[in-house]
Structure formats: C-alpha cells, structure tokens
C-alpha cells in the first residue's frame, strides 16, 4: 500500500478530498457538491450534516479499498464559518452562511466600547465586513438567538470542527483566528481584550503541525487541526522559496494579494482600502489585499456572452493585443468598477452598449480589474520594500491579457506562474509531513 496524507478541502462550491504521497504528489482526488439547505431563518447555508457524512464515508471507503494507507488527515476550508457545540459536544446551530446580512449599525456600541470601529478594525486587522467577521457572528447569535446561545459551551472554526469530528478534541489554529475574525489583536498577537471581557470560551490557538493520533476504522491516523484555505495556500511557496521574498496573488472568486514578509503594522489607510492580515500556521502576519474582483469578472463574462452572442469562454481564445492594452492604460477610463471599494457585484449589460465588439469591452474590464490588483499589491508592500517577485496562482494565471496589463501597469515586478496545483490542500498536507 502507498502511504498517504488525506486532505479534506472544503470550498464554498466544491468539496474535495486529496491523497498526497511521500513526494507530495496528489495520487488521488475526488470532488462533489451539495445542494444548500436553509438555516433556521430560511437563509441558504451549507448542508453540514451531509458534508460530515461524506467526509467520513470517503475516508472509510479509501481504507477498505486497501490501495492507500492513510497516515494523517488534515483539513482546509473557507473562513468566516463557526460551529457552536453544547455541553455534550453536539452541534447546536446550522453552519451559518457568511453572506447572510448583518447590520453593522446595530453593533456601534460594541465598536465604541473598544475604541471605535476604525481603531478596532485596525487592531484586529479585520475590516468591518459583517458576517465575514466571525466575532460579529458570535455577537449576532448572542443578541438574536439567546435560546441557542445559552446552550453554547464551545465555539470552533470550520477546519477545527472537521478535525473534531474525528478526534473529539477542542482546538484552534492561528490561520483561522487570524482571518478577519475581529477576535485577534495583531498589535499584541493574542486574543483581543473583548474576548475575555465578554467571557467567550475560545480555544488557545496552536501551530499547524500539531496533530492528535486516533484509531479510525481500525487504523492509527494522525488528525491535524486544519487550516484556513487562504493562509494554507501560501505554505507551499514558503516551503519552496525559503531564501526569497515574494508576494502571492491568489486568484479566483476573490483575488487576494498576500505578503508574508511585511514588517509594518496595518494602517488605517490600508484598512480602508480592502487590506487586512491573515496569519501563517506559525503565527506570522500575512498582510493582504482582498478584493471580490473574480466575482465581477465572472458575472460580466455571462453578460458579455449574452450581449455579443458569443460563447461564454470566448475570452480564453483572445490573442494579446498590446496596442489595445496601451491605449486603455493611456485613456485610464473607469466603466465597470467603482472608484473605491467595490460593493456592486451585479453585471450591468447597458454599459456594454458603449462597445462595438467583445474584445474592446473585455479588455476594458480586465484593465480595471488589473489596475485594482496592482493598487492592492502596492498597498501591502512596506515603504522601502524591495520585493519584485509576484507568484500568480488560480484561474487568472492562464489569462494572458490580465498578465499583460499587470506588467504594463507595474513594469518592475517579475511575474511568476505558480506551478503548484491545489495550493490550499497541499499546504494542509505539508503541515502533516512528520506523520507520513
């Protein structure tokens, strides 16, 4: 049998399992999707019960087939998701959706109690994102659902809950508590004062290499504590480029520029421009710019396809038109995106009427996205930073038009295509290498 590390990689849409061998090549993968269910307010949320059952049945099936010997299991999941447990260790609530509305005005007294929204957000490196701040999710549950809250004895982030399914151990990790939760103080690098003031029983975070050994289905397996997916995605590069400083541009629905080498604290200016901090599994800050630009790209691909009556994948076949790139940079027009932080994630097909053809409209869209990405990279770079290398992972690293705009807008950067696949899952596997 081949010794492997299993990684459960949970995205908002796709739920995946990977098996990594001793060379950290993925030798097996499987993927599934689940229909959303409704929470107790009728709002869509992930079907956590079905996800739990799928994870355990996948592990059992692999064990029973006998081709692979699972030595360790780790987890990588999206952030901003909490599980609440009662005194018997049973789940109390659904897995609430981080897109669920939360009125920040209702929490103004809380912010005022701890220095005001701006300073609190700077200190916790957490822009006031509503449900994307898990600390606010906790306050919302306390305030709106006391019947649930009165039963809560333990609060776990999503990756640690998946680990808990196997170990029944209460854990936390730095990547999860450090991901725009509004519970971590980046000035003191410990839980913010409000956590103890509000008597929250949050577990002490531990390093990402920690594991609990259990017997599962007759086999001894080391179970990792799990990681936040964005932070996990930078681990393979940190392992590979040990003598080089770099910025990672992780592209997908979110486009996130990550700088794990920034020594400067987050500023109000950065915070007000979609910057925040994540943390590595070793408690190191990762200054980041997080923008929902991939979503805007996605909705406009549909609008462009409909308006110009072309295939939705037409952009993949466009040749790089350097002259058009330079003309659009010179004109510096803004058509599709907001001047500041984008909060409109719907396409507006009427804007396409300005364009005679698909190519020009698409190039304008990508120019505006690229300009915001470059601004994000500049924002997370320290004042006298000499970092030139930018690694691009995810779907946009195949988009040559995007790459061309980046280079034209900031000629001193060196663009590298990350050859790493499934970075979040691989990062979680690398944390378990001592157990393989």
């Amino acid at each position: 049998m081949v010794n492997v590390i299993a990684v459960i990689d949970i995205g908002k849409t796709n739920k995946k399992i990977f098996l990594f061998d001793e060379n950290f090549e993925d030798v097996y993968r499987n993927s599934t999707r689940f229909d959303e269910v409704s929470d107790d307010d009728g709002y869509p949320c992930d079907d956590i019960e079905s996800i739990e059952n799928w994870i355990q049945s996948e592990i059992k099936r692999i064990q029973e087939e006998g081709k692979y010997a699972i030595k360790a299991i780790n987890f990588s999941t999206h952030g901003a998701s909490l599980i609440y447990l009662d005194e018997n260790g049973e789940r109390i609530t659904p897995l609430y959706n981080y897109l669920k509305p939360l009125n920040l005005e209702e929490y103004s007294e809380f912010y005022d109690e701890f220095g005001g929204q701006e300073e609190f957000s700077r200190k916790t490196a957490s822009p006031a994102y509503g449900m994307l701040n898990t600390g606010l999710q906790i306050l919302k549950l306390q305030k709106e659902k006391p019947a649930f809250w009165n039963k809560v004895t333990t609060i776990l982030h999503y990756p640690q809950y998946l680990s808990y399914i196997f170990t029944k151990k209460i854990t936390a990790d730095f990547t999860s508590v450090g991901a725009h939760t509004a519970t971590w103080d980046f000035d003191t690098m410990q839980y913010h004062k409000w956590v103890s003031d509000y008597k929250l029983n949050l577990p002490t975070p531990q390093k990402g290499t920690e594991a609990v050994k259990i017997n599962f289905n007759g086999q001894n397996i080391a179970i990792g504590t799990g990681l936040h997916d964005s932070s996990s995605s930078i681990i393979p590069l940190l392992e590979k480029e040990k003598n080089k400083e770099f910025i990672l541009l992780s592209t997908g629905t979110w486009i996130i520029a990550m700088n794990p080498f920034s020594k400067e604290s987050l500023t109000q200016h950065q915070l007000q421009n979609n910057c925040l901090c994540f943390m590595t599994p070793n408690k190191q800050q990762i200054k980041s710019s997080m923008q929902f630009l991939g979503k805007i790209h996605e909705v406009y691909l549909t609008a462009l396809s409909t308006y110009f009556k072309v295939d939705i994948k037409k952009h993949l076949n466009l040749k790089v038109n350097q002259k058009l790139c330079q003309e659009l940079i010179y004109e510096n027009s803004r058509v599709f995106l907001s001047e500041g932080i984008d909060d409109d994630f719907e396409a507006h097909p009427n804007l396409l009427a300005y364009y005679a053809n698909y190519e020009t409209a698409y190039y304008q869209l990508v120019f505006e996205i690229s300009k915001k990405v470059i601004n994000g990279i500049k924002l997370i770079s320290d004042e006298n930073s000499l970092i030139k290398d930018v690694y691009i992972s995810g779907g946009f690293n195949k988009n040559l038009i995007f790459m061309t705009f980046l280079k034209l807008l900031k000629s001193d950067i060196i663009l590298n295509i990350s050859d790493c696949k499934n970075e979040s899952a691989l990062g979680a596997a690398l944390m378990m290498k001592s157990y393989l």
Side-chain angles (χ1 to χ4, degrees), residues 237 247-251 390-398 402-403 406 415-419 423:
L237 262 181
I247 286 170
L248 174 63
L249 197 59
S250 175
T251 66
V390 176
Y391 285 84
I392 305 179
S393 68
F396 279 78
N397 73 6
K398 301 177 187 68
F402 174 68
M403 306 268 283
L406 292 184
L415 296 178
N416 304 274
I417 302 297
S418 173
D419 55 5
E423 294 91 342

Side-chain angles (χ1 to χ4, degrees), residues 6-33:
V7 174
I8 308 300
D9 186 34
I10 304 292
K12 204 80 177 84
T13 305
N14 297 306
K15 324 301 176 187
K16 302 175 185 177
I17 180 169
F18 294 90
L19 300 181
F20 292 92
D21 66 12
E22 292 171 344
N23 297 315
F24 290 93
E25 299 288 336
D26 65 292
V27 293
Y28 171 87
R29 69 179 72 179
N30 192 19
S31 176
T32 191
R33 295 184 178 192

Side-chain angles (χ1 to χ4, degrees), residues 306-331:
T306 303
Y307 186 86
F308 289 105
K309 298 181 174 54
V310 296
D311 187 86
I312 198 164
K313 294 182 179 178
K314 180 176 173 62
H315 66 293
L316 298 175
N317 299 318
L318 291 177
K319 297 252 186 331
V320 174
N321 185 335
Q322 284 269 359
K323 184 171 178 287
L324 181 54
C325 288
Q326 288 165 340
E327 285 174 359
L328 292 174
I329 290 171
Y330 178 76
E331 289 169 7

Side-chain angles (χ1 to χ4, degrees), residues 160-175:
Q160 284 74 59
Y161 176 67
L162 298 184
S163 177
Y164 171 84
I165 293 169
F166 290 89
T167 67
K168 301 305 175 188
K169 301 288 185 186
I170 304 302
T171 58
D173 92 296
F174 291 114
T175 69

Side-chain angles (χ1 to χ4, degrees), residues 97-116:
N97 190 333
Y98 63 66
L99 297 176
K100 192 173 183 176
L102 182 150
N103 183 1
L104 282 171
E105 291 179 5
E106 295 178 12
Y107 300 88
S108 57
E109 284 186 20
F110 167 77
Y111 281 118
D112 290 344
E113 187 181 351
F114 296 99

Side-chain angles (χ1 to χ4, degrees), residues 295-304 336 344-352:
K295 178 65 174 178
I296 296 173
H297 181 264
E298 180 186 318
V299 298
Y300 269 105
L301 284 182
T302 303
L304 282 159
F336 300 110
D344 180 0
F345 306 113
E346 301 295 328
H348 298 280
N350 58 299
L351 297 174
L352 301 176

Side-chain angles (χ1 to χ4, degrees), residues 203-400:
T204 302
Q206 55 197 59
K207 291 189 175 181
T209 51
E210 301 289 326
V212 175
K213 292 187 177 178
I214 66 158
N215 186 290
F216 184 76
N217 203 28
Q219 295 179 17
N220 293 322
I221 302 175
I223 308 294
T225 56
L227 301 160
H228 176 262
D229 56 6
S230 295
S231 301
S232 185
S233 70
I234 205 167
I235 294 169
L237 262 181
L238 287 170
E239 290 274 319
K240 182 181 176 184
E241 303 292 353
K242 290 189 173 173
N243 299 313
K244 182 196 289 184
E245 294 191 351
F246 59 84
I247 286 170
L248 174 63
L249 197 59
S250 175
T251 66
T253 304
W254 292 90
I255 296 185
I256 306 174
M258 293 186 276
N259 179 5
F261 304 99
S262 172
K263 304 295 188 292
E264 297 172 0
S265 298
L266 195 69
T267 66
Q268 286 290 357
H269 176 67
Q270 290 166 333
L271 186 74
Q272 289 161 6
N273 286 276
N274 262 342
C275 294
L276 68 163
C277 290
F278 294 110
M279 269 201 292
T280 69
N282 293 322
K283 203 180 176 182
Q284 174 186 346
Q285 85 162 7
I286 308 171
K287 192 173 285 183
S288 304
S289 161
M290 182 166 136
Q291 302 183 80
F292 211 32
L293 297 172
K295 178 65 174 178
I296 296 173
H297 181 264
E298 180 186 318
V299 298
Y300 269 105
L301 284 182
T302 303
L304 282 159
S305 170
T306 303
Y307 186 86
F308 289 105
K309 298 181 174 54
V310 296
D311 187 86
I312 198 164
K313 294 182 179 178
K314 180 176 173 62
H315 66 293
L316 298 175
N317 299 318
L318 291 177
K319 297 252 186 331
V320 174
N321 185 335
Q322 284 269 359
K323 184 171 178 287
L324 181 54
C325 288
Q326 288 165 340
E327 285 174 359
L328 292 174
I329 290 171
Y330 178 76
E331 289 169 7
N332 197 25
S333 299
R334 181 176 58 80
V335 178
F336 300 110
L337 274 59
S338 303
E339 179 69 35
I341 294 175
D342 290 284
D343 56 8
D344 180 0
F345 306 113
E346 301 295 328
H348 298 280
N350 58 299
L351 297 174
L352 301 176
Y354 296 121
Y355 298 96
N357 57 62
Y358 177 99
E359 181 187 36
T360 312
Y362 181 73
Y363 267 68
Q364 176 65 34
L365 174 67
V366 177
F367 161 64
E368 293 182 47
I369 290 171
S370 305
K371 188 177 171 185
K372 290 210 165 189
V373 169
I374 289 296
N375 190 47
I377 290 172
K378 289 176 179 175
L379 279 167
I380 62 168
S381 300
D382 287 355
E383 189 175 353
N384 298 312
S385 172
L386 299 175
I387 298 176
K388 302 291 185 191
D389 283 280
V390 176
Y391 285 84
I392 305 179
S393 68
F396 279 78
N397 73 6
K398 301 177 187 68
N399 191 319
L400 297 180

